[in-house]
Amino acid sequence: MIINIHVYRGPKNIRIKENGLDVYTDEPMENNRANADIIKQLSKFYNVNSKDIKIISGLKSKKKSILIKNK
């Protein structure tokens, strides 16, 4: 399954939107920490292992496409 997300700064939260998800993170963008937090949040949200989630586009952007295996 591929989903589109938009990343925002703020307290950790996921909001469902018509065109994808809004994911909020309070982790800094340095050293890929924000992306790691996004993957961690999505793994809990979809109840999958974080190794089954991959950012396929938008690695350094606020708009990302995410691949979730086994869904």
Side-chain angles (χ1 to χ4, degrees):
M1 170 173 72
I2 296 176
I3 59 169
N4 294 312
I5 68 167
H6 193 272
V7 180
Y8 296 95
R9 296 282 300 151
K12 296 177 183 181
N13 191 15
I14 295 178
R15 294 187 181 156
I16 300 170
K17 299 288 184 171
E18 284 184 22
N19 57 351
L21 298 175
D22 287 347
V23 180
Y24 292 79
T25 182
D26 55 4
E27 293 292 331
M29 292 183 220
E30 294 86 29
N31 297 322
N32 226 12
R33 288 176 57 188
N35 286 335
D37 181 59
I38 291 164
I39 290 171
K40 184 177 177 181
Q41 287 189 63
L42 290 172
S43 71
K44 288 180 183 178
F45 186 79
Y46 285 104
N47 196 28
V48 297
N49 191 315
S50 60
K51 293 180 181 179
D52 292 332
I53 298 176
K54 182 179 180 181
I55 299 172
I56 55 176
S57 71
L59 194 61
K60 295 185 178 188
S61 173
K62 291 185 178 199
K63 293 182 180 181
K64 302 177 185 300
S65 293
I66 308 289
L67 173 66
I68 302 176
K69 299 176 188 174
N70 302 324
K71 278 286 177 186

